[in-house]
Amino acid sequence: MLAKQAANETKLAPHAMLVVDELGRLELLRGCGLINALAILDAGPTPQFPHAIAVVRETLLDEARRRFEPHWGKVTVIGPDDAARNLVLETARAAGGAH
């Protein structure tokens, strides 16, 4: 489903935020599981997806950084709190996605 939506960007809102829940050992260490999501993340930011949120287990943060920072730049680690919520909302507003 994710790959179909990414391939047909006309169905998505402009400047959508990509959210992938959850990348684990299968994806980050074995290269299987959510491989379509990995391919989209590995491509880095696009006009359609200038920002992304990837839920990653804490034990795999270093691996996620190694994989995605070359494409996305410095990774910001957030947790389930008000500061993270505000950062996501501010990012969405800056990208033109939320009002």
Side-chain angles (χ1 to χ4, degrees), residues 41-90:
L41 287 168
D42 285 341
T46 66
Q48 189 64 36
F49 295 121
H51 305 282
I53 296 174
V55 177
V56 177
R57 295 175 187 211
E58 189 173 357
T59 58
L60 296 169
L61 282 176
D62 289 340
E63 183 61 32
R65 281 189 175 111
R66 277 191 292 277
R67 182 169 187 146
F68 301 123
E69 281 186 345
H71 308 290
W72 290 89
K74 185 171 177 356
V75 171
T76 301
V77 177
I78 61 174
D81 58 24
D82 287 340
R85 179 183 181 277
N86 291 335
L87 178 60
V88 170
L89 291 173
E90 288 172 19

